[in-house]
């Protein structure tokens, strides 16, 4: 039962990593943009929620609902007025710009909030649990995993059941031809990034309620997100969820053997999958 509990906790942890990765997978699937500032944007959203909780006395969930439109607008403006200018056949400009953005965000957060760790007050939900036979499962990890599944389902429905999704797919396949049909690729890309920021806000909420955060943790969250995306296959949203679960299970099993092996085990699982399936488990792009 110890190992069953370990695997179950790893699956639930994988839901958090899938939330980290879903926005990254979305942006890459549509515009082939590798956003190196993605982890720092998650941390920014966590601090925004913290400010709303502290200044207005809002519960974290309500604060996240208030922060979501702000992050949506920020993502739209960031893509429309900065990142769209870097897109092209050369992948280097987006990498350099988003790397610079990552450094700028980290330093801005450090200046504004200091290096002290912070945490969102989760209240009773942080210790609540449900019994499943001999197992005790935390309510907060369950909510995190359920949210990840709902996000993946929602994004897939958006892609394949809506007019906006058709515009996403058309622009991803051929932006020039799509523009001849009346689609404005720049606005489509901005909308995609704005939607990704909504997912980032949800990821930030669960990150802040489950663990401490500080201005410097963004790159580590980015690594987990990258690994989940690559394990699942670039552009595959369900693959992203599978990748997050694989990393989460590897980490909890590594920690069960030796607490010092937790992070290493996740990276080793990533390398093992990459050796066996260089294109990921479900390699495809949004089509």
């Amino acid at each position: 039962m110890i190992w069953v509990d370990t695997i179950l906790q790893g699956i639930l942890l994988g839901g958090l990593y899938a939330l980290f990765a879903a926005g990254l997978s979305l942006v890459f699937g549509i515009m082939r943009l590798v956003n190196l500032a993605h982890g720092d944007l998650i941390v920014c959203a966590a601090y925004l929620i913290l400010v709303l909780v502290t200044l207005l006395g809002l519960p974290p969930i309500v604060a996240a609902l208030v922060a979501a439109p702000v992050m949506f607008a920020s993502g739209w403006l960031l893509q429309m007025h900065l990142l769209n200018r870097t897109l092209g056949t050369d992948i280097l400009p987006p990498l350099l710009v988003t790397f610079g953005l990552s450094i700028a965000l980290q330093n801005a957060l450090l200046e504004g909030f200091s290096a002290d760790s912070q945490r969102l007050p989760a209240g009773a939900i942080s210790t609540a649990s449900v019994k499943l036979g001999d197992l005790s499962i935390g309510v907060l990890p369950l909510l995190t995993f359920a949210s990840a599944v709902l996000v993946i389902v929602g994004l897939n429905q958006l892609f394949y059941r809506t007019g906006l999704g058709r515009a996403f797919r058309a622009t991803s396949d051929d932006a020039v031809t799509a523009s001849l049909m009346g689609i404005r690729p720049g606005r489509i890309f901005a909308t995609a990034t704005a939607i990704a920021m909504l997912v980032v806000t949800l990821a930030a909420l669960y990150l802040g309620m489950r663990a401490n955060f500080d201005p410097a943790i963004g790159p580590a969250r980015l690594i987990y997100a990258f690994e989940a995306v690559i394990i699942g296959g670039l552009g595959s949203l369900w693959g992203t969820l599978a990748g997050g679960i694989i990393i989460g299970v590897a980490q909890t099993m590594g920690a069960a053997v030796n607490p010092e092996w937790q992070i290493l085990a996740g990276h080793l699982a990533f390398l093992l999958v990459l050796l066996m399936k260089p294109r990921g488990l479900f390699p495809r792009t949004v089509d």
Side-chain angles (χ1 to χ4, degrees):
M1 291 302 296
I2 293 177
W3 285 106
V4 172
D5 181 64
T6 298
I7 293 172
L8 181 58
Q9 296 304 322
I11 292 172
L12 297 180
L13 177 61
L16 180 62
Y17 292 157
L19 284 177
F20 291 162
L24 193 69
S25 180
L26 170 67
V27 169
F28 180 85
I30 294 174
M31 66 190 85
R32 310 299 187 267
L33 172 66
V34 179
N35 185 0
L36 297 182
H38 184 77
D40 301 289
L41 289 168
I42 295 174
V43 179
C44 281
Y47 273 107
L48 176 58
I49 296 171
L50 179 65
V51 168
L52 292 171
V53 169
T54 304
L55 295 183
L56 303 180
L58 300 175
I61 294 177
V62 176
L65 292 175
V66 176
V70 178
M71 293 301 296
F72 182 92
S74 299
W76 198 92
L77 292 172
L78 176 66
Q79 183 67 46
M80 194 68 181
H81 298 291
L82 177 62
L83 298 182
N84 276 348
R85 300 173 184 270
T86 70
L87 296 178
T89 56
D90 188 356
I91 65 169
L92 189 57
L95 289 175
L96 293 176
V97 169
T98 54
F99 177 74
L101 179 62
S102 170
I103 300 300
L105 289 175
Q106 288 181 49
N107 282 276
L109 291 174
L110 185 62
E111 184 69 23
F113 298 97
S114 80
D116 295 338
S117 294
Q118 306 287 344
R119 188 164 187 160
L120 295 175
I125 196 175
S126 63
T127 56
S129 62
V130 294
K131 297 292 289 185
L132 184 63
D134 294 330
L135 301 176
S136 182
I137 306 173
V139 171
L140 189 55
L142 275 175
L143 286 176
T144 306
F145 187 82
S147 297
V149 173
L150 288 175
V151 164
I152 298 298
V153 170
L155 290 177
N156 273 284
Q157 290 296 312
L158 175 66
F159 275 126
Y160 299 112
R161 296 289 186 270
T162 67
L164 178 59
R166 288 192 291 273
F168 281 156
R169 300 197 306 273
T171 307
S172 174
D173 289 341
D174 191 335
V176 175
T177 302
S179 65
L180 295 176
M181 303 302 293
I183 296 174
R184 302 178 66 177
R187 290 185 177 274
I188 292 298
F189 292 157
T191 303
T193 301
I195 294 172
M197 289 302 102
L198 294 180
V199 181
V200 160
T201 306
L202 185 60
L205 172 66
Y206 286 118
L207 169 66
M209 290 197 298
R210 293 184 57 168
N212 293 341
F213 58 92
D214 60 69
I217 70 165
R221 309 287 84 78
L222 175 68
I223 289 174
Y224 297 148
F226 263 135
E227 290 182 346
V229 170
I230 294 172
I231 287 174
L234 295 174
S236 172
L237 290 169
W238 284 111
T240 296
L241 178 61
I245 291 173
I246 289 172
I247 296 172
V249 170
Q251 286 189 352
T252 54
M253 292 184 69
V257 176
N258 187 328
E260 297 179 353
W261 293 358
Q262 178 178 355
I263 304 302
L264 176 62
H267 296 327
L268 289 177
F270 164 69
L271 292 175
L272 184 62
V273 172
L274 206 58
L275 285 173
M276 295 188 299
K277 301 277 290 186
R279 297 184 61 211
L281 298 177
F282 309 101
R284 65 192 181 103
T285 55
V286 178
D287 54 18

